[in-house]
Amino acid sequence: MGTEHDRRRFLGLAAGASTLTLAGCSTAPGDSGTSSSPTEPDESTDTDTPTSQSMSTVFHFARGPDYQQHALANVANLLDDSSTAVENVVVVANGQGVELLVASESNHPDRVTELLNRGVSFRACENSLAARDIEESALIDGVETVPAGVGELTKLQARDDFAYIETP
């Protein structure tokens, strides 16, 4: 049958919707979608204005020191994105990633503090701290601990509806 048959079948299944958007293309039900001219974007959808619904995001950081700056830049970029309304931002660090949150080991303790002051919650995995013989008192002021980083990620996504982003 092939790709064209699969595409038509999918479009047929979506016939109950007033408009179907696929990869930036808008196709109304009954439209074959074979027009040679590109479909104009729906002007009622403005991607440059913040969404009216505030969202929450959890960043997962488990990499080494070479990736700390990039991870923190991702968090700051989200906060600075005026087209995205974000209410809660959490960074969960586990594995080698907890070094980002240890005052004496972090390459960017001032940047972590700056983001804490902007309302970002940083949470260090107690299992990872214990495996590295790191005391909670060694963490940057304001950093919280959680029993298990993976458990915290699971709870935030499943129970609290956080969007998940794995940092580099």
Side-chain angles (χ1 to χ4, degrees):
M1 296 257 158
T3 305
E4 183 63 25
H5 178 267
D6 293 341
R7 184 176 147 298
R8 287 183 190 183
R9 181 172 169 221
F10 179 77
L11 292 174
L13 292 173
S18 61
T19 301
L20 175 66
T21 303
L22 297 171
C25 300
S26 180
T27 305
D31 181 4
S32 68
T34 58
S35 169
S36 60
S37 64
T39 304
E40 292 298 317
D42 180 3
E43 292 181 17
S44 66
T45 305
D46 184 357
T47 59
D48 292 332
T49 58
T51 177
S52 61
Q53 180 182 359
S54 189
M55 297 173 283
S56 298
T57 301
V58 59
F59 287 88
H60 179 201
F61 184 62
R63 306 280 307 260
D66 292 344
Y67 299 93
Q68 291 179 3
Q69 182 175 353
H70 194 169
L72 295 172
N74 279 325
V75 174
N77 288 343
L78 177 64
L79 294 175
D80 295 339
D81 180 357
S82 64
S83 70
T84 305
V86 179
E87 182 176 345
N88 299 302
V89 177
V90 175
V91 176
V92 175
N94 69 335
Q96 193 175 7
V98 297
E99 294 172 8
L100 169 67
L101 307 178
V102 177
S104 64
E105 295 182 34
S106 178
N107 291 340
H108 307 281
D110 293 338
R111 188 75 190 260
V112 170
T113 299
E114 173 192 327
L115 291 169
L116 281 162
N117 291 335
R118 291 182 69 185
V120 175
S121 174
F122 285 87
R123 300 176 188 172
C125 171
E126 292 173 8
N127 291 329
S128 298
L129 294 173
R132 288 165 176 70
D133 293 320
I134 298 171
E135 297 292 326
E136 187 174 337
S137 61
L139 296 173
I140 296 168
D141 287 339
V143 172
E144 304 168 51
T145 63
V146 294
V150 293
E152 186 71 4
L153 291 166
T154 301
K155 286 185 265 186
L156 289 172
Q157 292 173 79
R159 186 176 59 204
D160 298 330
D161 205 27
F162 273 65
Y164 172 87
I165 298 175
E166 182 177 8
T167 60

